[in-house]
Structures are given as structure tokens and as C-alpha cells.
Amino acid sequence: QVQLVESGGGLVQAGDSLRLSCAASERTFSNYAVGWFRQAPGKEREFVSAINWSGDSTDYADSVKGRFSISRNNAKNTVYLLMNNLKPEDTAVYYCALGPRSTLAALYNYWGPGTQVTVSS
């Protein structure tokens, strides 16, 4: 059973940076991607970024391109999301998920409990 846990969220001001971490319980994730999604109250869960565990290919939502950067450390079974120049519209609960590489949340099989990111103006 794969378990994921996010950390690094918090309350920041617009323009600040945060780095989120997603730690996995498994050492191998061949043919699976790790994705970051976010969900604000009353809104649908949306894709943010993804990275393939077997390589360094990455994907980003248009809304975060140039501001967010996803990376991985296989020795630590951890994926990171560095968020720069945060904006109030980035406020949401951020989730990491494991599944086939996709921008669709419904296709991911395992989810962490989420970490809250709040950006004030």
C-alpha cells in the first residue's frame, strides 16, 4: 500500500516562496508519475504540476509556469514543488498523488492528506 504525505505549507504574503514536499512510502514508482494538485473551497481540484519517477520530464499548468518548479530526490522517495512569487489565487489545499502520468485528478490512485497554502495580499 503506497502512502504519501505532504509538508511545507503555511501562511505567506504575495510574492513569497514556499517549497512543498511529498514523501512516499515506496522506493520504486516505475511507470508512475507524481502529480501536484490543488483545491480551493468551492472549486474543483485542479492540476498544478507532475513529474515522472523514471525520468526528469515535467509538466506545469499554464497558471504556474515560470513560477513553480517540480523536482525529485529518488534516494529520499520525495518529490518537491518549489513555489515562487506566490499569488492570492494560489491559496488552496495542495495534494500530491501517485498514478499514471496525466493532468486529470481522476486517474491518480493514491493521494496524500494535503497541506494548506494560504497567500495573503
Side-chain angles (χ1 to χ4, degrees), residues 60-108:
Y60 298 94
D62 289 341
S63 60
V64 306
K65 285 182 179 178
R67 298 190 298 122
F68 291 10
S69 179
I70 191 169
S71 61
R72 62 183 172 89
N73 187 329
N74 289 335
K76 296 182 178 180
N77 296 328
T78 302
V79 169
Y80 305 97
L81 183 69
L82 176 61
M83 305 183 295
N84 294 319
N85 191 25
L86 284 161
K87 303 176 180 180
E89 53 263 42
D90 295 319
T91 295
V93 176
Y94 283 70
Y95 301 90
C96 66
L98 177 66
R101 190 174 185 181
S102 176
T103 61
L104 302 177
L107 298 182
Y108 286 76

Side-chain angles (χ1 to χ4, degrees), residues 37 45-47 97-98 102-111:
F37 295 80
R45 189 167 298 188
E46 66 173 340
F47 170 78
L98 177 66
S102 176
T103 61
L104 302 177
L107 298 182
Y108 286 76
N109 302 114
Y110 302 97
W111 294 82

